[in-house]
């Protein structure tokens, strides 16, 4: 079921995306009209709806994404959407960014982990 | 909850009893198998849980190191972000799904696949090239950690689901199916016993009746003993008539 | 050109005030003790406090908390830009042209950025924010109108002072085919050569000091290009064409560099210049970045700082203007680096920077 999914997608700030792209995760679909890319840089003052659209696109519409990396502070902006997301594919992973060190408290998955360990 | 709700609607017959007993046995085996599966999954789950937590914390460190190396690049080469973002075309780092079997549950995992090409090799040609290459390596390593974590996390989520389903089944068998079957068996047994007792009592009654009759009409009984024994039940119906005959 | 004596006599008529300003600015550069204070900081708040005691003053005071390194970077380069603009607006010929030349290097980066954007058919207006403020020019927005590379090339030729550099080494079709980094470096090479020629036309002592500074810049580029081009698609001929045609390595050193195939050959090519040769000390061919604080690039930076510091030993020339802004640029880089280190609580030993004074 997951054989088609090979890409690592990313939503993040400028630095994080630059780093990840530098490592070579970037994929820009030149064929399509809209130039679909598998990464999205969320500028600080950009519209939330655009961010949400990208999140939906990466998690629901695209069939070729295996892992979606998202900066934690950006996930924070769309937390309800993130919490609602429970599919195993693509795997959603919250990652820290340069200016926002990792906070396990906020991680949706880790929250579940702790809940399970707790009881 | 009344007894009736907890048993199956069957006729209390010997056959039903055998069937139910077989089903009980099946349910017990199923229960123990499922419980074993659950335990196996739980062991796995705990291990993954621990790893997820570890990996999440490790990720924090790894990403920090990576961000740091990017800062180094910025120090030497200036801002390269736009250039990098625009020159991305084809991924060199992709993942491949692999599968692992734990007690009949396929756990997906991701394996990183790296293509050895140098897409950004000319970036920072004038200055900072070495740092950029280093940063690239650092990020590639960081992504390895991330991918590992992603597999763990996916496994975690799937296992979580499966364990929940298994748990529900185990509990259902333990608390619903088994008592129900046991109750059914009990019910059938008690009904059968009841019938046995009735039968026994009936026979006793007949016997005593016959004995009474034998005292007053010893002769007839003596004479007809053979025929009565032979005829069996037919005589029961005739008893009234017999008395009529006596009068 | 005038003889040395009259140069001294008349220099101050035009440039005395500005040279005074520059030397004043220079005195405000962070010192060793400032740096060691900065290195001790635990968070960016501390950093801001330490900096407020220096010439940076309250440059961060209006920022909302928490401070981010990008704000610090932005604000501190803004101080550099402000100083530059002040000097530039008061400058007269030939100093103003000299300062113009200094902006060209930023301009090249900006134009390259726009080219990148145009190549990928992005809205280049968004890119204006990303451009270095020193490299901005009036016609910049005109460049954004261009929708394809051909148009952009024409606008660059018409609108920018960079036209000669582009014309000399590229045609419009090259923009499409060549790697953007090769374009950048070819243009930069043309620019460096032109700047060199210009500074030589200013006569001594500017000429001799600038020759030293620009030669080092040229040599550094040559060495870096060589090192960074190993195992890439860059051919040796192409590489050779990117070396600036002056500097201490030119022509014998660049000739050797053009043929170099590994790190050791690069080192050998630099052998006859002791300063450069010593920079390679302690590196082996497969380990160019053994020590975090002391990579080759860092040594280049340190040497750059040293040369620029020496500039201030002579008076009555234009080189201090160049040097000061180079030093200031380095200082901004240092501050950003330190704030980066502090923000990520990096260990103290990694916080070393080439201190200036």
């Amino acid at each position: 079921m997951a054989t088609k999914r090979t890409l690592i997608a990313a939503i993040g700030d400028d630095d994080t995306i630059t780093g990840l792209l530098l490592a070579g995760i970037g994929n820009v679909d030149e064929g399509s009209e809209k130039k679909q890319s598998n990464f999205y840089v969320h500028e600080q003052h950009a519209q939330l709806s655009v961010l949400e659209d990208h999140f939906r696109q990466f998690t629901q519409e695209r069939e070729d994404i295996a892992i979606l990396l998202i900066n934690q502070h950006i996930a924070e902006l769309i937390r309800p959407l993130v919490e609602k997301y429970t599919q195993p594919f693509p795997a959603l992973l919250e990652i820290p960014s340069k200016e926002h060190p990792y906070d396990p408290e906020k991680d949706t998955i880790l929250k579940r982990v702790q809940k399970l360990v707790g009881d | 909850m009344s007894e009736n709700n907890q048993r199956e609607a069957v006729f209390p017959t010997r056959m039903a009893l055998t069937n139910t007993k077989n089903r009980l046995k099946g349910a017990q085996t199923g229960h123990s198998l499922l419980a074993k599966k659950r335990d196996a999954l739980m062991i796995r789950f705990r291990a993954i849980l621990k790893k997820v937590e570890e990996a999440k914390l490790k990720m924090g460190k790894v990403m920090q190191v990576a961000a740091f190396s990017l800062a180094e690049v910025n120090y030497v080469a200036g801002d390269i972000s736009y250039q990098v973002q625009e020159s991305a075309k084809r991924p060199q780092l992709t993942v491949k799904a692999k599968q692992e079997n734990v007690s009949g549950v396929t756990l997906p995992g991701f394996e990183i696949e790296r293509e050895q090409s140098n897409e950004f090799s000319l970036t920072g040609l004038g200055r900072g090239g070495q740092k950029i290459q280093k940063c690239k390596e650092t990020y590639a390593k960081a992504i390895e950690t991330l991918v590992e974590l992603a597999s763990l996390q996916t496994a975690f989520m799937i296992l979580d689901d499966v364990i929940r389903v298994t748990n529900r089944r185990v509990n259902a068998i333990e608390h619903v199916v088994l008592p129900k079957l046991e109750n059914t068996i009990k019910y059938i047994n008690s009904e059968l016993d009841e019938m046995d007792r009735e039968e026994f009592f009936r026979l006793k009654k007949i016997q005593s009746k016959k004995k009474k009759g034998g005292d007053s009409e010893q002769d007839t009984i003596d004479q007809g003993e053979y025929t009565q024994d032979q005829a069996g039940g037919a005589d029961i119906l005739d008893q009234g008539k017999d008395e009529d005959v006596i009068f | 050109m005038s003889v040395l004596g009259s140069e001294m006599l008349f220099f101050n008529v035009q440039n005395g005030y500005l040279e005074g300003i520059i030397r004043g600015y220079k005195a405000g550069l962070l010192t060793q003790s400032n740096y060691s204070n900065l290195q001790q900081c635990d968070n960016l708040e501390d950093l801001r406090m330490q900096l407020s005691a220096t010439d940076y003053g309250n440059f961060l005071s209006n920022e909302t908390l928490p401070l981010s390194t990008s704000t610090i970077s932005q604000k501190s380069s803004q101080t550099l830009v402000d100083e530059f603009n002040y000097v530039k607006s008061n400058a007269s010929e030939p100093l103003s042209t000299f300062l113009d030349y200094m902006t060209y290097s930023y301009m090249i980066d900006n134009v390259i950025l726009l080219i990148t954007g145009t190549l990928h058919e992005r809205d280049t207006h968004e890119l204006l924010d990303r451009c270095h403020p020193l490299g901005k020019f009036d016609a910049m927005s005109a460049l954004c109108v261009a929708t394809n590379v051909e148009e952009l090339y024409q606008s660059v030729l018409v609108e920018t002072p960079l036209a000669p550099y582009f014309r000399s080494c590229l045609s419009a079709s090259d923009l499409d085919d060549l790697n953007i980094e090769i374009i950048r470096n070819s243009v930069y090479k043309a620019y460096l050569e032109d700047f060199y020629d210009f500074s030589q036309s200013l006569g001594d002592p500017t000429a001799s000091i600038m020759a030293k500074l620009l030669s080092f810049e040229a040599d550094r580029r040559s060495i870096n290009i060589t090192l960074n081009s190993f195992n890439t698609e860059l051919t040796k001929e192409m590489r050779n064409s990117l070396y600036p045609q002056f500097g201490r390595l030119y022509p014998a050193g660049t000739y050797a560099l053009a043929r170099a195939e590994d790190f050791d050959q690069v080192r050998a090519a630099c052998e006859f210049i002791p300063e450069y040769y010593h920079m390679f000390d302690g590196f082996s061919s497969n380990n160019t970045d053994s020590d975090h604080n002391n990579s080759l690039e860092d040594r280049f930076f340190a040497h750059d700082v040293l040369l620029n510091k020496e500039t201030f030993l002579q008076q009555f020339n234009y080189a201090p203007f160049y040097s000061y802004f180079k030093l200031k640029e380095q200082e901004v880089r240092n501050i950003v680096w330190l704030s980066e280190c502090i923000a990520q609580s990096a260990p103290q030993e990694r916080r070393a920077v080439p201190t200036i004074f």
Side-chain angles (χ1 to χ4, degrees):
Chain A
M1 62 179 165
T3 43
K4 270 193 302 177
R5 299 181 178 272
T6 55
L7 292 179
I8 306 174
I11 297 177
D13 60 16
D14 213 39
D15 279 335
T16 313
I17 298 291
T18 306
L20 293 174
L21 289 184
L22 204 55
I25 66 157
N27 176 57
V28 178
D29 207 350
E30 293 283 352
S32 63
E33 188 79 355
K34 269 171 66 194
K35 272 195 166 185
Q36 278 202 325
S37 55
N38 66 337
F39 54 91
Y40 168 65
V41 179
H42 183 72
E43 310 276 349
Q44 211 166 6
H45 303 293
Q47 292 270 315
L48 269 188
S49 59
V50 182
L51 174 63
E52 283 171 359
D53 282 349
H54 274 92
F55 184 79
R56 271 194 211 102
Q57 190 201 337
F58 290 154
T59 50
Q60 284 158 27
E61 285 162 36
R62 296 204 36 174
E63 305 264 287
D64 52 354
I65 292 173
I67 301 175
L68 171 62
L69 305 173
I70 182 165
N71 269 143
Q72 197 173 34
H73 69 278
I74 289 170
E76 203 59 21
L77 299 175
I78 48 167
R79 182 55 73 194
L81 208 61
V82 175
E83 296 212 325
K84 231 165 46 190
Y85 177 77
T86 48
Q87 288 160 248
F89 291 104
L92 180 71
L93 202 57
E94 286 176 33
I95 56 172
S97 67
K98 198 176 75 183
E99 276 149 30
H100 301 78
Y102 185 66
D103 181 5
E105 298 287 303
K106 287 180 186 156
D107 195 309
T108 311
I109 297 295
L110 217 58
K111 260 194 242 165
R112 278 175 66 187
V113 170
Q114 263 145 6
K115 214 163 71 190
L116 284 163
V117 174
D119 59 28
Chain B
M1 211 183 276
S2 76
E3 286 271 304
N4 279 337
N5 288 343
Q6 285 212 327
R7 67 169 167 82
E8 284 173 21
V10 285
F11 287 111
T13 58
R14 297 242 167 239
M15 190 158 117
L17 181 67
T18 331
N19 277 342
T20 319
K21 273 191 174 158
N22 280 336
R23 286 181 58 202
L24 179 67
K25 204 167 190 181
Q28 273 163 346
T29 328
H31 177 254
S32 77
L33 276 176
L34 276 177
K36 264 184 201 152
K37 175 180 175 181
R38 180 190 57 183
D39 289 347
L41 289 176
M42 275 312 267
I43 289 171
R44 186 68 190 209
F45 187 65
R46 297 264 167 208
I48 285 180
L49 219 60
K50 224 167 122 192
K51 273 197 205 155
V52 166
E53 268 196 298
E54 268 169 24
K56 284 248 170 186
L57 297 176
K58 183 180 160 202
M59 169 188 78
K61 285 198 198 94
V62 168
M63 287 304 287
Q64 196 179 16
V65 171
F68 202 69
S69 77
L70 188 65
E72 266 181 355
V73 168
N74 281 336
Y75 177 81
V76 179
D79 191 5
I80 55 162
S81 55
Y82 190 77
Q83 209 189 336
V84 170
Q85 280 165 29
E86 282 306 320
S87 45
K89 274 200 190 74
R90 226 167 40 78
Q92 296 154 48
L93 274 180
T94 50
V95 289
K96 204 177 72 179
K98 59 171 187 204
Q99 288 182 337
E100 196 189 351
N101 201 322
V102 181
S103 322
V105 182
T106 34
L107 289 184
F110 301 111
E111 227 166 38
I112 207 150
E113 282 200 334
R114 191 147 184 223
E115 201 177 295
Q116 277 306 336
S117 72
N118 258 337
E119 191 141 318
F120 298 107
S121 58
L122 285 179
T123 310
L125 187 61
R127 50 180 196 181
Q130 292 153 52
K131 283 272 198 291
I132 290 174
Q133 291 307 315
K134 207 182 119 204
C135 177
K136 191 176 150 176
E137 287 306 312
T138 322
Y139 263 97
K141 282 208 191 81
I143 288 177
E144 269 172 42
T145 316
L146 293 181
V147 167
E148 194 187 319
L149 181 55
S151 344
L152 284 176
Q153 193 180 290
T154 317
F156 163 80
M157 283 169 69
I158 286 180
L159 264 186
D160 187 29
D161 270 3
V162 172
I163 286 178
R164 247 179 244 193
V165 169
T166 318
N167 252 338
R168 206 177 299 147
R169 284 188 190 154
V170 170
N171 288 341
I173 290 178
E174 199 175 320
H175 298 293
V176 179
V177 178
L178 285 182
K180 206 170 176 179
L181 288 175
E182 274 161 7
N183 281 336
T184 315
I185 290 171
K186 246 189 242 161
Y187 161 74
I188 296 175
N189 273 334
S190 69
E191 287 295 297
L192 286 178
D193 284 353
E194 185 71 21
M195 274 153 75
D196 271 357
R197 273 195 297 277
E198 268 172 26
E199 183 73 9
F200 184 69
F201 179 75
R202 195 173 54 86
L203 289 176
K204 278 269 190 203
K205 197 83 179 172
I206 295 166
Q207 237 173 7
S208 63
K209 272 260 163 80
K210 277 185 179 163
K211 264 187 189 146
K212 246 193 250 164
D215 287 340
S216 55
E217 278 180 46
Q218 192 60 48
D219 299 343
T220 22
I221 290 171
D222 281 344
Q223 278 174 0
E225 195 161 32
Y226 175 73
T227 39
Q228 221 176 29
D229 275 2
Q230 238 186 353
D235 273 283
I236 299 170
L237 292 171
D238 290 340
Q239 265 177 3
K241 279 179 188 167
D242 284 346
E243 281 177 7
D244 282 346
V245 172
I246 292 164
F247 273 95
Chain C
M1 268 289 141
S2 52
V3 288
L4 198 61
S6 63
E7 173 82 20
M8 286 186 182
L9 262 179
F10 297 117
F11 185 85
N12 279 355
V13 174
Q14 295 289 339
N15 306 308
Y17 169 66
L18 286 177
E19 192 175 0
I21 291 280
I22 278 290
R23 280 175 191 274
Y25 281 156
K26 178 213 147 204
L29 287 173
L30 301 181
T31 62
Q32 180 72 52
S33 65
N34 287 134
Y35 278 119
S36 53
N37 280 340
L38 292 178
Q39 279 161 5
Q40 307 286 325
C41 292
D42 288 330
N43 54 45
L44 293 179
E45 291 290 287
D46 282 359
L47 182 97
R48 175 165 78 171
M49 217 166 69
Q50 291 291 349
L51 282 178
S52 65
T54 67
D55 263 22
Y56 282 93
N58 295 326
F59 80 121
L60 285 173
S61 60
N62 288 331
E63 292 309 313
T64 50
L65 296 174
L67 290 169
S68 73
T69 50
S70 50
T71 335
I72 293 178
S73 150
Q74 208 184 352
K75 288 285 163 186
S76 48
S77 24
Q78 191 56 44
T79 59
L80 166 73
V81 174
D82 290 344
E83 284 173 3
F84 186 86
N85 286 338
Y86 179 75
V87 171
K88 191 160 176 287
S89 56
N90 284 295
S92 58
E93 285 293 341
L95 178 60
S96 53
T97 316
F98 183 83
L99 292 174
D100 277 342
Y101 265 99
M102 285 179 57
T103 62
Y104 291 169
S105 67
Y106 303 102
M107 227 178 264
I108 290 174
D109 281 343
N110 290 351
V111 171
I112 294 289
L113 193 68
L114 291 183
I115 292 176
T116 319
T118 314
L119 276 177
H120 292 94
E121 291 158 14
R122 290 304 158 100
D123 183 7
T124 39
H125 287 96
E126 290 167 17
L127 292 179
L128 290 179
D129 292 338
R130 285 176 177 266
C131 290
H132 195 287
L134 278 187
K136 279 195 180 152
F137 46 91
D138 297 339
M140 202 114 175
S141 38
L143 292 189
C144 295
V145 179
T147 50
N148 61 40
V149 179
E150 185 81 27
E151 275 175 48
L152 186 73
Y153 182 72
Q154 293 304 330
S155 335
V156 168
L157 288 189
V158 176
E159 306 279 353
T160 73
L162 303 177
Y165 313 141
F166 274 88
R167 201 170 46 225
S168 66
C169 55
L170 298 164
S171 69
S173 57
D174 283 345
L175 290 182
D176 261 330
D177 309 334
L178 287 174
N179 186 299
I180 195 78
E181 278 300 315
I182 298 176
I183 299 173
R184 185 201 302 273
N185 283 289
S186 335
V187 174
Y188 205 90
K189 170 206 161 196
Y191 153 72
L192 268 184
E193 285 168 1
D194 190 40
F195 194 12
Y196 182 77
D197 289 343
F198 171 75
S199 65
Q200 293 314 297
S201 74
L202 293 173
D204 269 341
T206 308
S208 62
I209 300 175
M210 284 309 292
K212 203 166 71 178
L213 294 172
L214 291 176
S215 294
F216 174 67
E217 179 68 28
D219 293 342
R220 172 162 76 169
R221 287 194 81 80
S222 305
I223 295 173
N224 269 333
I225 289 173
T226 315
L227 286 178
N228 292 332
S229 67
F230 293 149
N231 304 322
T232 64
E233 71 226 58
L234 195 68
T235 59
K236 283 184 183 162
E237 294 78 50
M238 196 91 98
R239 196 204 299 169
N240 194 23
S241 71
L242 295 178
Y243 298 145
Q245 302 204 340
F246 66 96
R248 297 174 71 184
L249 284 174
Y250 180 81
T254 49
Y255 183 79
L257 280 179
R259 266 148 202 77
E261 268 162 13
D262 59 33
F263 189 79
D264 289 322
Q265 289 178 1
V266 175
R267 185 209 302 255
C270 303
E271 201 156 19
F272 63 98
I273 299 173
E275 287 99 318
Y276 299 164
Y277 186 64
H278 287 307
M279 286 191 207
F280 288 91
D281 285 354
F283 296 127
S284 62
S285 51
N286 50 10
N287 191 4
T288 49
D289 197 17
S290 54
D291 189 345
H292 287 308
N293 290 330
N294 215 355
S295 68
L296 194 58
E297 308 234 12
D298 291 332
R299 292 185 189 186
F300 278 136
F301 275 128
H303 192 68
D304 197 26
V305 167
L306 182 78
L307 286 181
N308 280 317
K309 258 159 70 177
E310 282 174 0
T311 313
F312 286 93
L313 296 177
Q314 280 198 54
Q315 225 186 327
F316 308 125
N317 67 73
Y318 300 114
F321 292 95
Y322 178 84
S323 287
Y324 170 71
F325 288 110
K326 285 286 161 201
L327 288 177
K328 180 81 179 176
E329 209 185 321
Q330 179 67 34
E331 182 178 286
V332 168
R333 266 205 297 270
N334 286 347
I335 289 176
V336 174
W337 172 246
L338 283 174
S339 58
E340 226 32 279
C341 290
I342 292 164
Q344 307 195 22
S345 41
Q348 296 276 336
E349 58 269 21
R350 295 214 49 188
R351 298 186 180 182
V353 286
T355 47
I356 299 172
F357 288 105

